[in-house]
Amino acid sequence: MCVNPKLKLLKFIGLLSAVACLSATTHAEASKGALQRLPDWLNAHVGAGSGEIAPKVLERARALYLEQISQGKVRNACYFAMDATRPNDLTDGPSGGRFYIICEGEQSFQAISSGHGGGRNLPGGANFTNGRQCAKNFGNALNSNLTAGGAYLTSEIKTSFKGYYSVSPKQDAFLTRSFVQFDGIGETANARQRAIGGHASALVSGICMMKNPNSPFADRDGYVPRGKLTTYAGGRSDGCTSWSPSETPQVLSVVKDNPTTLYIYPESKDIAAVSQAVAAGQSPSRLGLYWNPSCLQEIGTPKFWAKETLEPIIAKYGQDHPAPPPRPVPICKGSP
C-alpha cells in the first residue's frame, strides 16, 4: 500500500516532537518514557509471541533512537532492534524472527531472522561456545566470535566478491556479499576493531580455483574461486548479525547512505542480573528482569565474557597454538 508522502512527513514530525520531551531527561527516564509513549499501532506488536518484541527490548531500542535523533546523529525514519535471548528458530517462518525493523513514520514493524555469535572452544583455555538455538555466552572480546549486546550505529556498506558456485550442470553464478559496518557506543565501542556488522547468512565453501580469465573477478593468472553456496539463516555467526539472503536487501535499503541505530539485548548488566537471580533460585521475571523463558530453560545461566578477562586467554591460546602456514588453494578439477 502506498503512503502519502505528506502524511508520512507529518507522522515523522510527530515522532521528532517527542524527542524534545526526552532531550532534557536522564537516560533512565528517557528509556521508561520511550515505552510509556508508544503509539497504539506499535504497542500492538509488544509481547512474547511469535513476531512480537519484548517490552524491555523495544523500550531501550526506542530510547537509543530518540536520543540519537535529538543529537542529530541519525535522521533515518527507521531503527533496528535485536533480542538475542530469543530462540534462533525459524519454524514459525520469517515472522518468528528476532531482528526488528521499526519505521514509525510508516507505522511498519517487521521481525526477521538473525543469527547470534557462535563463540569458540579453546581446549585448556576456555569454552564459550553457543548452541544453534539459544545463546548462553556473550562478550566483547577481540576474536571471541561472541555477540555483544548494547548500542550501535550503522555505518558504511562494503560489498565483496565471495566466489562462483553451480546453479545447474552447465551454469555458474557468483556471490557478492554486502557488509554493514557497526559502530558501537560504550561497552560495544570496539565493534569496528572486532569487524562487527551485519551481512547475509551466505558464503561459498569448499573453495578451489577455476580458470576463468574473462571474469571481472579473475586474478592475475586468470583464476577465480569456486565452491558450494551455503546459506545458514537461523545459524550462528562469528559475532556479527546475520540475516537470511532473502531479507538482507530490505535491511540494506533502510540504511544505505542513511545511518540508523541498532540496539541488541542483552547488555552485560542484564546478563549479570539474570545470572544472580538464577544462582539465588529466584525467578528473573518476578524480579522485573527479562530473558526469554524457553532459552533460559535451555542454557541455565547466561554469562558475559568481558574483553579484559577473555582477550588474554585468547591471546595465550594463539601463542600456544600458532596457525599452520597457509596452503595454496587447490585447482578445480578440469581447470588447466
Side-chain angles (χ1 to χ4, degrees):
M1 181 179 69
C2 296
V3 180
N4 186 307
K6 292 183 178 180
L7 179 60
K8 184 189 298 185
L9 178 60
L10 288 173
K11 289 177 179 178
F12 188 56
I13 291 174
L15 172 63
L16 294 180
S17 67
V19 174
C21 298
L22 290 171
S23 59
T25 63
T26 65
H27 180 74
E29 290 171 338
S31 180
K32 182 178 180 181
L35 190 59
Q36 288 178 339
R37 285 185 283 273
L38 280 185
D40 291 342
W41 73 268
L42 183 53
N43 194 52
H45 295 285
V46 177
S50 177
E52 295 181 329
I53 186 171
K56 182 70 70 178
V57 180
L58 178 57
E59 171 188 311
R60 294 192 187 167
R62 196 166 193 256
L64 170 65
Y65 173 66
L66 294 177
E67 177 185 65
Q68 297 301 307
I69 285 280
S70 70
Q71 295 177 4
K73 295 181 180 179
V74 165
R75 294 187 296 272
N76 200 311
C78 304
Y79 58 99
F80 299 146
M82 179 181 173
D83 183 355
T85 74
R86 287 180 66 108
N88 196 7
D89 190 352
L90 297 181
T91 55
D92 293 330
S95 64
R98 54 182 178 168
F99 186 93
Y100 307 97
I101 305 172
I102 306 164
C103 304
E104 296 195 22
E106 298 179 355
Q107 296 189 6
S108 68
F109 176 95
Q110 187 175 0
I112 66 175
S113 65
S114 179
H116 57 259
R120 298 174 64 187
N121 182 10
L122 309 179
N127 184 352
F128 43 96
T129 57
N130 282 319
R132 185 178 183 276
Q133 284 296 313
C134 297
K136 174 185 177 71
N137 296 293
F138 299 82
N140 59 353
L142 189 67
N143 298 322
S144 66
N145 295 352
L146 290 174
T147 295
Y152 297 89
L153 293 174
T154 64
S155 189
E156 73 272 14
I157 300 176
K158 300 177 182 178
T159 301
S160 56
F161 168 68
K162 297 300 181 182
Y164 283 84
Y165 61 93
S166 174
V167 292
S168 72
K170 295 184 178 181
Q171 183 179 2
D172 280 353
F174 62 85
L175 174 69
T176 58
R177 195 175 74 178
S178 296
F179 174 83
V180 184
Q181 176 67 55
F182 295 164
D183 285 320
I185 301 172
E187 202 166 63
T188 65
N190 63 344
R192 188 173 287 268
Q193 180 187 11
R194 294 184 62 208
I196 295 297
H199 57 77
S201 52
L203 53 84
V204 178
S205 60
I207 294 289
C208 61
M209 299 302 290
M210 176 181 69
K211 192 73 171 181
N212 187 357
N214 295 324
S215 168
F217 306 109
D219 63 17
R220 66 178 65 183
D221 296 319
Y223 285 89
V224 295
R226 185 181 188 276
K228 178 182 178 181
L229 178 66
T230 301
T231 59
Y232 50 98
R236 290 162 291 184
S237 70
D238 289 341
C240 291
T241 300
S242 57
W243 309 292
S244 73
S246 63
E247 294 166 325
T248 299
Q250 180 183 358
V251 179
L252 297 178
S253 69
V254 171
V255 297
K256 180 176 172 57
D257 301 321
N258 195 8
T260 193
T261 57
L262 163 63
Y263 180 78
I264 299 179
Y265 185 91
E267 299 180 44
S268 62
K269 62 182 180 182
D270 305 306
I271 298 168
V274 170
S275 297
Q276 290 171 7
V278 172
Q282 297 176 306
S283 168
S285 61
R286 291 183 179 179
L287 297 176
L289 305 173
Y290 168 67
W291 202 281
N292 180 271
S294 64
C295 269
L296 188 59
Q297 182 178 9
E298 178 178 316
I299 66 174
T301 304
K303 183 172 182 178
F304 179 81
W305 298 77
K307 62 180 182 179
E308 294 80 6
T309 300
L310 191 53
E311 284 184 358
I313 297 175
I314 295 174
K316 186 177 186 307
Y317 183 84
Q319 293 173 357
D320 296 341
H321 302 82
R327 295 181 179 180
V329 180
I331 302 298
C332 299
K333 293 181 179 179
S335 286

